Amino acid sequence: MIAKLTGIVDSTGTDWVVLDVNGVGYLLSCSNRTLSRMAVGERASLVVETFIREERIVLHGFGDQAEREWFKLLTTIQGVGARLALSILGVLDPDQLTRAIASQDKTALVRADGVGPKVAARILNELKDKVGNLALGPAATAGAPAGKGAPAAVPGATPALADAVSALVNLGYGRSEAFGAVVAAGRVLGDDAGVSDLIRQGLKELSQ
């Protein structure tokens, strides 16, 4: 099983790279984000996920371990194969994908080729419990009410954080962008920050 390859970039295509490792060329499927970091003739190192099919072995290459783990997570969802997972990772890096799912930002996901509203909704629904609190941090999750009191739109968030995100979205900011700014504001202001304070600090974060 191949877990990592380091070599010289021999050639690249729209969704693949050939990596020359000591004279042996390995063909790997990659996201656009990973491909954009590589240039022909330069040295590159890729984390690898190996798929064994009936007729061939398929290698998928990733710029870092986080991208590989997201690929594995995305491909557990019905209707999301390797090609679609790489398409998503081509437009959203792991941090952006975490925020998109935690904030239930369907618009961010449908930016990827092949991802329609139904597939995006399925991804958000199936992964929200796995990554909801990951993007929040202690300031946003401390004291969050359980059960009916927790805002469904932002899993694990306090009502103040959810209201602040909604306010920034209404001002024209993207949901993931607003979510990230308000979470950062919550870390600065602390657990007891009110909606208006979160909005003001969130706007400061967005202006930086």
Side-chain angles (χ1 to χ4, degrees), residues 162-180:
D163 289 345
V165 170
S166 295
L168 292 181
V169 170
N170 290 336
L171 290 175
Y173 293 99
R175 188 162 185 80
S176 295
E177 184 182 24
F179 180 80

Side-chain angles (χ1 to χ4, degrees), residues 129-199:
D129 292 333
K130 297 181 180 180
V131 304
N133 289 335
L134 184 62
L136 295 174
T141 57
K148 296 181 180 179
V154 186
T158 64
L161 185 146
D163 289 345
V165 170
S166 295
L168 292 181
V169 170
N170 290 336
L171 290 175
Y173 293 99
R175 188 162 185 80
S176 295
E177 184 182 24
F179 180 80
V182 173
V183 167
R187 294 193 182 110
V188 171
L189 299 174
D191 301 344
D192 298 326
V195 176
S196 59
D197 292 332
L198 287 170
I199 293 172

Side-chain angles (χ1 to χ4, degrees), residues 4 15 24 30 52 71 74 80 87 96 98-100 140 142 144 149 168 173 181 190 193-194 197:
K4 184 178 181 180
D15 59 358
V24 178
C30 302
I52 300 177
F71 173 83
L74 286 167
V80 179
S87 177
Q96 292 170 331
T98 299
R99 289 196 298 270
L168 292 181
Y173 293 99
D197 292 332

Side-chain angles (χ1 to χ4, degrees), residues 28-51:
L28 302 103
S29 298
C30 302
S31 69
N32 289 335
R33 190 173 66 89
T34 294
L35 287 171
S36 68
R37 299 176 177 177
M38 296 184 288
V40 173
E42 293 187 357
R43 190 173 180 82
S45 183
L46 294 173
V47 180
V48 178
E49 181 71 11
T50 305
F51 277 16

Side-chain angles (χ1 to χ4, degrees), residues 80-149:
V80 179
R83 185 181 297 274
L84 200 57
L86 289 174
S87 177
I88 294 169
L89 291 166
V91 297
L92 297 171
D93 65 31
D95 287 342
Q96 292 170 331
L97 188 50
T98 299
R99 289 196 298 270
I101 293 173
S103 62
Q104 297 291 280
D105 188 355
K106 187 186 296 185
T107 301
L109 288 176
V110 297
R111 288 168 47 202
D113 289 340
V115 179
K118 290 184 178 179
V119 173
R122 187 181 306 128
I123 293 171
L124 294 176
N125 183 59
E126 294 192 20
L127 296 184
K128 64 182 179 181
D129 292 333
K130 297 181 180 180
V131 304
N133 289 335
L134 184 62
L136 295 174
T141 57
K148 296 181 180 179

Side-chain angles (χ1 to χ4, degrees), residues 38-81:
M38 296 184 288
V40 173
E42 293 187 357
R43 190 173 180 82
S45 183
L46 294 173
V47 180
V48 178
E49 181 71 11
T50 305
F51 277 16
I52 300 177
R53 306 298 189 190
E54 292 182 0
E55 300 179 353
R56 58 177 180 155
I57 297 176
V58 180
L59 303 179
H60 301 289
F62 308 95
D64 51 50
Q65 188 66 33
E67 187 183 32
R68 177 176 176 265
E69 292 305 314
W70 264 111
F71 173 83
K72 292 167 65 176
L73 191 59
L74 286 167
T75 52
T76 63
I77 299 172
Q78 182 182 1
V80 179

